[in-house]
């Protein structure tokens, strides 16, 4: 019997710390050898000229998430995980949203049912807490953390999601006790409402004004408030989807005070600007770019790159939250035509996250290969309780691997993507570097732009408590 099921031969292995020439031997879905030469495998894959990296982990995606009565998200768990795999990812962390009036436990069960048998790659659920009742805080959350849902998201805005300051503090306190990581959507509800109503009164209702309704000050204020609450409770938190310099300044300030504040940014904040939200000759075409926080400007891109280079950010996620554009249940919902405030928030991006980061970061000389791996996979695993199971290439890790062609030039186009949306915000965007083979727990799931894996092979993960999330004793 061959010693290995698969040997990946002749490639350059890249981890968050090292880059070296090695073969990788895989047995029973896990990495069993990393050596100068691996022989004796049932199947050999020639990786010469390719990088052998940990499969991407996208710790911020929304699949089949309840988005209101008249809106349907563009991706379910099948299309979402298919797109993720085609884009070089081997694991994603979507959300289980507590719909108001239902218990958190029921909500988690509902999302597990939606995902069951549908996924091409492994998934793990963060929880979104919208009603932190005594029952949720005292019983459901502790039980769900023990069951492997070791992170939750809270919102400081949106009618259906917002928590007030007292509620945020209560959730932070449970997170501290249970050693879970809280992800914070930091934009201030009242300020956005005020700005929105003022813009609407002035007749400014087109998608472009979405950006004007939530300027950086709105994000800065909420980031500061979340950090101050975290300081009161003495708990680490993660500020997600940071869009520009002002929120970054708050995060730097907090770290100088010795607080454990983590931060995430996304492709939209290094590539898109508020100008993209203008209706470029087509009514409502700016709706394609409506997401929150909104894309800012070129100076913000420079600021975010500074943060990616200097370590302000631990993770680079897609915040994949797709809607179809030409669809009354998507971006062109009839209500959305009356005001930007009703345009569903979010853009597709799970499939294009890694090529954009590689091309803009590594190929343009801004970040090292190792920093790429850290931002794309390793830190996601560490922060969200998947390490040392996923997120690196070493003996004992799941064989979650992407073979990457660093020289391949590609142009991002809707027609080559696998997501359920009918557009990509990056149509025509040229990149250097592209995933060639995505292997998840030793099985090839995507190859040369084609999905070859089996639907349902992806598992729903129980995650560990992350040592990075735990507050000081
Ligand atoms: N926040 C997210 O994290 N995703 C989509 C919409 C939003 O506001
Ligand atoms: Zn958010
Ligand atoms: Zn999101």
């Amino acid at each position: 019997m061959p010693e290995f099921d698969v040997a990946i031969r002749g490639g350059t292995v890249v981890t968050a710390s090292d880059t070296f020439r090695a073969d990788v031997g895989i047995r029973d879905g896990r990495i069993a050898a990393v050596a100068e030469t691996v022989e004796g495998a049932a199947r050999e894959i020639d990786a010469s000229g390719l990088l052998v990296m940990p499969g991407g982990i996208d710790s911020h995606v929304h699949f089949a998430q309840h988005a209101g009565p008249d809106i349907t998200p563009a991706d379910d768990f099948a299309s979402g995980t298919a797109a993720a795999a085609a884009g070089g990812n081997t694991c994603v962390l979507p959300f289980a949203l507590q719909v108001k009036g239902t218990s958190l436990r029921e909500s988690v069960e509902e999302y597990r049912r939606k995902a069951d048998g549908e996924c091409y790659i492994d998934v793990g659920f963060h929880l979104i807490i919208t009603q932190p009742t005594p029952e949720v805080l005292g019983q459901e959350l502790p039980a769900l953390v023990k069951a492997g849902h070791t992170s939750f998201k809270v919102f400081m805005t949106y009618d259906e999601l917002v928590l007030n300051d007292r509620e945020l503090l209560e959730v932070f306190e449970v997170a501290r006790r249970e050693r879970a990581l809280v992800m914070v959507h930091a934009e201030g509800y009242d300020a956005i409402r005020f700005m929105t109503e003022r813009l609407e009164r002035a007749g400014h209702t087109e998608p472009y004004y979405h950006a004007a309704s939530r300027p950086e000050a709105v994000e800065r204020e909420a980031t500061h408030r979340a950090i101050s609450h975290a300081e009161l409770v003495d708990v680490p938190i993660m500020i997600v989807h940071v869009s520009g310099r002002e929120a970054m300044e708050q995060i730097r300030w907090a770290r100088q005070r010795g607080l454990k504040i983590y931060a995430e940014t996304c492709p939209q904040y290094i590539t898109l600007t508020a100008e993209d939200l203008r209706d470029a000759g087509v009514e409502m075409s700016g709706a394609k770019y409506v997401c929150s926080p909104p894309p800012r400007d070129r100076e913000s891109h420079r600021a975010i790159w500074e943060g990616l280079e200097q370590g302000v950010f631990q993770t680079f996620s897609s915040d994949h939250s797709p809607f179809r554009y030409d669809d009354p249940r998507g971006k062109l919902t009839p209500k959305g035509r009356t005001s930007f405030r009703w345009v569903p928030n979010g853009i597709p991006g799970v499939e294009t996250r890694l090529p954009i980061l590689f091309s803009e970061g590594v190929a343009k000389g801004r970040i090292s290969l190792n920093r790429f791996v850290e931002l794309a996979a390793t830190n996601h695993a560490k922060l969200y309780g998947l390490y040392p199971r996923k997120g690196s290439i070493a003996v004992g890790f799941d064989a979650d691997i992407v073979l990457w062609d660093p020289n391949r030039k590609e142009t991002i186009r809707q027609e080559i993507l696998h997501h359920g949306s009918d557009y990509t915000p990056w149509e025509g965007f040229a990149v250097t570097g592209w995933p060639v083979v995505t292997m998840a727990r030793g099985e090839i799931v995507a190859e040369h732009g084609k999905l070859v894996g089996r639907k349902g092979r992806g598992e729903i993960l129980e995650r560990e408590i992350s040592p990075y999330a735990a507050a000081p004793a």
Side-chain angles (χ1 to χ4, degrees):
M1 231 183 50
E3 192 181 350
F4 301 103
D5 303 324
V6 184
I8 298 172
R9 306 205 51 191
T12 299
V13 173
V14 187
T15 69
S17 54
D18 300 298
T19 306
F20 54 97
R21 242 285 312 124
D23 291 354
V24 178
I26 295 164
R27 191 166 51 232
D28 297 333
R30 301 213 303 187
I31 296 172
V34 180
E36 202 165 352
T37 317
V38 168
E39 281 170 354
R43 176 173 184 191
E44 290 201 355
I45 297 175
D46 178 11
S48 38
L50 302 178
L51 304 175
V52 181
M53 302 194 280
I57 302 176
D58 193 339
S59 58
H60 187 156
V61 300
H62 304 264
F63 297 154
Q65 190 177 305
H66 183 78
D70 303 318
I71 304 295
T72 307
D75 275 316
D76 56 18
F77 283 86
S79 61
T81 55
N89 299 283
T90 50
C91 178
V92 286
L93 302 183
F95 296 84
L97 165 73
Q98 180 193 22
V99 174
K100 281 195 174 154
T102 61
S103 79
L104 198 50
R105 196 188 306 269
E106 277 171 51
S107 307
V108 173
E109 281 314 309
E110 184 195 336
Y111 280 86
R112 289 184 77 96
R113 279 195 297 277
K114 290 187 199 188
D116 193 30
E118 295 293 308
C119 298
Y120 288 88
I121 57 172
D122 294 347
V123 305
F125 286 110
H126 310 288
L127 314 173
I128 294 177
I129 301 159
T130 58
Q131 274 188 321
T133 59
E135 169 96 32
V136 166
L137 295 167
Q139 282 139 54
E140 293 196 323
L141 269 178
L144 287 164
V145 172
K146 284 185 186 69
H149 303 290
T150 53
S151 48
F152 4 111
K153 184 171 180 195
V154 290
F155 285 79
M156 298 172 77
T157 188
Y158 294 124
D159 290 331
E160 293 306 314
L161 307 173
V162 62
L163 300 190
N164 63 33
D165 286 350
R166 172 69 190 255
E167 291 170 326
L168 288 172
L169 286 158
E170 306 259 19
V171 172
F172 285 5
E173 191 170 62
V174 175
R176 185 185 202 287
R177 205 169 52 233
E178 301 300 327
R179 296 179 300 142
L181 184 59
V182 187
M183 309 160 81
V184 181
H185 180 125
E187 290 184 297
Y189 178 74
D190 285 326
I192 294 170
R193 269 223 329 209
F194 171 81
M195 297 294 285
T196 299
E197 286 167 18
R198 199 164 77 173
L199 286 161
E200 285 180 344
R201 276 198 303 277
H204 296 319
T205 55
E206 302 94 307
Y208 174 69
Y209 294 99
H210 169 78
S213 73
R214 41 221 306 158
E216 280 199 62
V218 165
E219 186 184 2
R220 179 190 68 215
E221 180 278 327
T223 303
H224 182 88
R225 188 152 40 99
I227 287 169
S228 301
H229 293 349
E231 180 175 357
L232 284 180
V233 176
D234 188 20
V235 67
I237 56 169
M238 160 66 85
I239 308 290
V240 292
H241 46 48
V242 172
S243 74
R245 190 178 296 284
E246 301 208 12
M248 283 170 57
E249 281 170 357
Q250 298 303 311
I251 292 159
R252 285 193 174 111
W253 168 84
R255 292 206 190 129
Q256 276 161 15
R257 292 169 65 80
L259 305 177
K260 261 202 210 173
I261 306 294
Y262 300 109
E264 169 202 87
T265 192
C266 314
Q268 43 274 36
Y269 306 120
I270 54 167
T271 52
L272 306 180
T273 70
E275 289 303 306
D276 288 309
L277 276 77
R278 283 195 195 278
D279 294 345
V282 180
E283 196 194 355
M284 293 295 290
S285 66
K288 289 181 181 176
Y289 301 89
V290 167
C291 61
S292 295
R296 308 288 183 192
D297 56 14
R298 303 243 164 258
E299 154 52 21
S300 302
H301 298 175
R302 279 190 288 278
I304 297 285
W305 274 115
E306 231 175 77
L308 286 165
E309 289 159 25
Q310 296 171 359
V312 174
F313 298 108
Q314 285 67 52
T315 56
F316 187 84
S317 308
S318 66
D319 192 8
H320 179 82
S321 181
F323 299 94
R324 288 171 51 78
Y325 167 65
D326 192 8
D327 190 328
R329 296 191 65 83
K331 293 287 190 180
L332 295 189
T333 173
K335 254 174 121 179
R337 292 176 186 275
T338 68
S339 167
F340 62 83
R341 89 153 91 180
W342 304 113
V343 174
N345 265 240
I347 59 176
V350 73
E351 199 166 349
T352 45
R353 171 185 76 118
L354 296 177
I356 289 172
L357 180 63
F358 190 93
S359 186
E360 293 294 300
V362 180
K364 291 194 174 169
R366 290 175 168 128
I367 56 171
S368 69
L369 274 174
N370 312 99
R371 179 71 174 140
F372 171 80
V373 168
E374 191 171 62
L375 287 164
T378 313
N379 282 352
H380 301 252
K382 287 183 173 174
L383 282 161
Y384 294 109
L386 290 168
Y387 201 87
R389 174 174 171 190
K390 293 184 182 291
S392 192
I393 306 264
V395 170
F397 278 73
D398 283 356
D400 284 3
I401 295 170
V402 61
L403 304 186
W404 190 274
D405 183 345
N407 300 313
R408 175 152 160 203
K409 295 195 186 307
E410 192 54 81
T411 300
I412 296 176
R413 285 161 294 140
Q414 167 65 11
E415 69 194 57
I416 62 170
L417 300 178
H418 299 73
H419 61 204
S421 188
D422 56 353
Y423 77 98
T424 164
W426 288 280
E427 185 70 36
F429 194 92
V431 293
T432 300
W434 198 256
V436 178
V437 174
T438 309
M439 176 182 275
R441 281 187 284 99
E443 292 173 26
I444 296 181
V445 282
E447 195 171 20
H448 300 291
K450 285 211 172 49
L451 198 68
V452 296
R454 181 178 54 82
K455 188 164 92 166
R457 61 160 302 289
E459 290 177 2
I460 300 176
L461 302 169
E462 282 182 21
R463 293 177 289 116
E464 305 288 327
I465 297 291
S466 164
Y468 297 85

